[in-house]
Amino acid sequence: MTTSNRILLGVNIDHVATLRQARGTRYPDPVKAALDAEEAGADGITVHLREDRRHIQERDILVLKDVLQTRMNFEMGVTEEMMAFAERIRPAHICLVPETRQELTTEGGLDVAGQEARIKAAVERLSKIGSEVSLFIDADERQIEASRRVGAPAIELHTGRYADATTPTEVAEELQRIIDGVKCGLNEGLIVNAGHGLHYHNVEAVAAIKGINELNIGHALVAHALFVGFKGAVAEMKALILAAAKH
Ligand SMILES: CC(=O)[C@@H](O)[C@H](O)COP(=O)(O)O
Ligand SMILES: NCC(=O)COP(=O)(O)O
């Protein structure tokens, strides 16, 4: 079991593309954001090619594939279209996420326990291209155990419920759920990442959990970048999580 204090920051650039797609312009370019993020200390770049293409486009992924200095974490729904695209791109990391067309954002984790055969087949197929496959799941023992059974080397715990919690009791309960999930994942021999809805005001408690490998953060960084620039936003977040992880 790993319990090191080292923690990585994966910068999700989806919402740079959201702004571009709002007007159908060529700017702002998520590729530039990715390169700035790397300069500011990002350990990896996360992109979610949604089925409805509301933000990231194929072009973004193709260019990123050629220019990234770090590594790409490609988030995708479990569909034949995405599987074929991933096989073409061969990203270092792939995170399988649940997707419904109408959702505002990713609501809840992938139901691995409820569709083990389908997810196992996807993990096997994507592992063959050399990608490290991760499953975006709720911090739920049943889902974590199923993730190990289907052969995924990594999981990403969905921190959205923690981020959305409003009362101190609710925040403490949701944080505890993540702490227990990390412990369970490590006991199952999995690499444990976390993300969704993390912000400058709520990230420290999660970064302080021993054994988390990487936090994936996007929306809050893009929002803060409006005021301090993308490099500044990433550098601030990186400093915050490294300091929290040291304690
Ligand atoms: C899976 C995940 O948590 C991110 O990819 C997130 O989904 C990106 O933002 P949207 O959900 O708004 O597309
Ligand atoms: N997988 C979570 C992610 O990449 C970033 O989510 P958010 O910070 O944009 O909510």
Side-chain angles (χ1 to χ4, degrees), residues 12 46 75 136 156 195-197 216-219:
N12 182 318
T46 294
E75 294 183 327
F136 190 58
E156 179 171 327
H196 201 90
N216 281 307
I217 307 180
H219 191 266

Side-chain angles (χ1 to χ4, degrees), residues 33-175:
L35 299 180
D36 281 0
E38 287 185 326
E39 272 188 40
D43 298 290
I45 300 298
T46 294
V47 273
H48 184 176
L49 183 64
R50 277 186 175 270
E51 229 183 305
D52 63 11
R53 307 295 194 272
R54 67 176 72 164
H55 41 55
I56 292 294
Q57 307 294 308
E58 277 91 337
R59 168 268 176 197
D60 303 325
I61 310 274
L62 293 169
V63 179
L64 286 168
K65 175 71 186 161
D66 280 345
V67 301
L68 284 188
Q69 303 284 344
T70 56
R71 56 203 162 73
M72 185 191 298
N73 175 33
F74 179 60
E75 294 183 327
M76 54 173 264
V78 189
T79 65
E80 179 52 39
E81 183 201 13
M82 288 301 152
M83 301 278 276
F85 187 70
E87 285 173 327
R88 192 173 147 209
I89 299 301
R90 295 172 173 257
H93 306 264
I94 292 176
C95 186
L96 299 181
V97 305
E99 224 180 274
T100 56
R101 274 179 187 278
Q102 273 80 40
E103 67 188 354
L104 191 59
T105 183
T106 310
E107 293 160 357
L110 191 66
D111 180 16
V112 182
Q115 43 177 346
E116 284 197 29
R118 178 166 173 254
I119 304 298
K120 188 171 193 283
V123 171
E124 278 172 8
R125 184 168 159 190
L126 296 170
S127 298
K128 281 193 189 129
I129 58 172
S131 301
E132 178 191 273
V133 184
S134 159
L135 305 176
F136 190 58
I137 57 171
D138 289 326
D140 168 349
E141 204 175 294
R142 211 173 123 256
Q143 299 295 345
I144 297 167
E145 288 169 359
S147 299
R148 195 255 308 142
R149 281 198 299 275
V150 301
I155 53 174
E156 179 171 327
L157 300 178
H158 193 316
T159 50
R161 277 169 61 170
Y162 161 75
D164 290 342
T166 48
T167 66
T169 309
E170 219 189 319
V171 171
E173 280 172 7
E174 292 302 334
L175 183 63

